[in-house]
Amino acid sequence: MESPTRPAAPSNDYSSITRATKLFALCAAVNSLNLGYDIGVNTGIAPLLEESMDLSETQVEIFIGSINLFAMVGSLASGYISDAYGRRGTFKVAAVGFVVGVLTMATAQSFAVLMLGRVLVGIGVGFGLAIDPLYISELSPPEHRG
């Protein structure tokens, strides 16, 4: 009887991982911090928003809690965007959505505009969260995947 073959042991040779690979992987991983950063910042300013924009408690709760819903929508849509524009293109779409959303929220004078910014930020964050692991795995040399 033949013994089953064992998969090759992981390589301890990291010479195939270039500085550029490490930098790109780090940038993609840091992109995943956007969700936590956004939740932390906006939770801290909730009382200020309520007072300065004359929002009800319900409106503030919707504003703070909705990021997760919009991020889910973004992550579900990210596959289509990724297929059309590639991983790097999807990162660009995510970054534009995040930046435009933050600027929209920063200049909002009404709850509707504030929520429009929240939608854009949420979708951008969702794109990033879904694409980050794929980009890092495709960027890594084949012998270091898995």
Side-chain angles (χ1 to χ4, degrees):
M1 287 189 120
E2 292 182 32
S3 63
T5 59
R6 292 184 174 202
S11 171
N12 290 330
D13 177 23
Y14 296 106
S15 63
S16 63
I17 303 176
T18 65
R19 290 179 74 183
T21 301
K22 291 176 186 176
L23 177 65
F24 295 150
L26 176 68
C27 289
V30 168
N31 187 48
S32 295
L33 301 175
N34 280 339
L35 180 63
Y37 176 79
D38 187 82
I39 290 172
V41 166
N42 286 304
T43 300
I45 65 160
L48 298 173
L49 272 177
E50 190 173 0
E51 183 181 323
S52 68
M53 293 187 70
D54 196 30
L55 300 178
S56 69
E57 285 185 22
T58 303
Q59 287 174 317
V60 172
E61 290 171 4
I62 290 170
F63 172 73
I64 298 296
S66 63
I67 187 77
N68 296 316
L69 174 65
F70 301 134
M72 284 190 289
V73 171
S75 66
L76 290 171
S78 68
Y80 300 108
I81 301 299
S82 179
D83 288 345
Y85 299 108
R87 306 293 185 248
R88 286 187 186 175
T90 305
F91 276 128
K92 291 175 186 174
V93 170
V96 167
F98 190 79
V99 169
V100 170
V102 167
L103 292 174
T104 302
M105 288 189 298
T107 59
Q109 298 295 315
S110 69
F111 180 68
V113 175
L114 189 68
M115 287 305 296
L116 173 64
R118 196 66 162 171
V119 169
L120 295 172
V121 168
I123 290 173
V125 166
F127 280 175
L129 288 174
I131 297 302
D132 291 346
L134 293 173
Y135 182 71
I136 293 170
S137 69
E138 290 177 355
L139 181 68
S140 301
E143 63 270 14
H144 294 287
R145 295 178 187 167

